[in-house]
Amino acid sequence: MNQIKVIFALVLFCAALLPGECITGGKEAVANSHPYMASLQWNGKHECGGFLISNQWVMSAAHCFQNGRDSGVKVVLGAHSLSKDEDTKKSFDVSAVYNHPDFTISNYDNDIALLKLESPITENYAVKPIKFQRDGEVNPEKGAAVETAGWGSQNNLGGRPDKLQELSITVMDRWLCGRSDYYGAKFTDNMLCAAEKRKDTCDGDSGGPLLYKGVVVGITSNGGKKCGSSRKPGLYTIISHYTQWIDRTTTQ
C-alpha cells in the first residue's frame, strides 16, 4: 500500500510539473543502429549531440559552443552507452570548430556548426557518415514523419539516459509555429518545428540530427523551457539552407 502511495504521489508531482506531457516519449535505440551519432563531451560529460557527415567532419549546433566552449570538446563516436566500455566506442580530439558566422543567440537563427576531427575515422558498422539534405532537394512538409536520436533529458526533472534514445515525431505547420503564442518572430525561415503530444527533444539533444527518409534535414536547436510543451515544440535548423557554407568550410 505504501508503494502505491509513493507511485501515486510521483504521478501527481509529474502532472503538476507539466500537465498531460510528462515524458519526452522516446525509446532506447538498438545498439549502433545510428552509426552517425556523436556525443560531444567536455571533461568526460555529454553536453550536446552531433552527427558524422564525412570521414573527418561532424555537424552540430552553434549554440553548443558559445562562451568559449569551442575548446576542450571531444567527439565520441560508436557509442550506445555513455558510461560503459564498448569495443565500438572511440574518442576524437577536435582540431577546429566552425560556428556559422550569422548565428544569433537571441533566437538561435543559423544554429549550425562544423567540427573537424583531429584524425579521420575508420568506417565500420558502428561508425559511418550519413547523407544530409542539400540546396534544391525537397524538405519535409507539414505532417511528415521525421526521426531523431540523442542522449538528452527524458523529462523536465533533468534525468538523462545512459543509452541512446530515438524518437519519431511529426513536422508542424509553419504558420502555427510563427504565431505569437508559439514562437512569433523568433521562428525564422531557417527553422522547422516538429513534435507530437508527449514527444519532443530535450536538454542534451541539441546538435543531433533530424532525419526524413534516411537523410538528415535538420539539426536539433532549441525549444521551450519545458520539453514537451504543446506551444513550444522543438525547433530544428534546416540544413539545406547552408549548402554553400558547408562546402566552403569543409574544403578550405
Side-chain angles (χ1 to χ4, degrees), residues 89-204:
K89 189 188 300 184
K90 187 172 182 181
S91 179
F92 290 81
D93 290 326
V94 175
S95 61
V97 176
Y98 300 91
N99 292 322
H100 194 278
D102 297 325
F103 170 65
T104 307
I105 192 65
S106 59
N107 66 348
Y108 285 62
D109 197 20
N110 306 302
D111 194 10
I112 179 173
L114 291 165
L115 288 72
K116 186 174 185 180
L117 303 180
E118 191 73 46
S119 58
I121 59 112
T122 299
E123 187 174 325
N124 56 53
Y125 77 94
V127 179
K128 62 177 64 175
I130 188 169
K131 180 183 176 182
F132 61 89
Q133 193 86 313
R134 299 181 67 83
D135 184 30
E137 297 176 346
V138 178
N139 284 296
E141 298 181 348
K142 173 199 171 186
V146 287
E147 293 80 39
T148 187
W151 289 273
S153 298
Q154 293 176 292
N155 53 51
N156 288 291
L157 301 177
R160 289 188 178 183
D162 176 61
K163 296 176 180 178
L164 183 67
Q165 305 291 301
E166 62 184 12
L167 179 69
S168 178
I169 48 180
T170 302
V171 175
M172 299 176 63
D173 255 326
R174 295 194 62 81
W175 71 266
L176 186 63
C177 293
R179 265 178 24 179
S180 60
D181 55 339
Y182 278 67
Y183 287 105
K186 289 186 176 181
F187 183 68
T188 76
D189 290 341
N190 296 316
M191 305 172 184
L192 63 79
C193 59
E196 291 181 21
K197 187 176 182 181
R198 300 188 180 188
K199 290 185 176 183
D200 195 7
T201 44
C202 203
D203 179 51

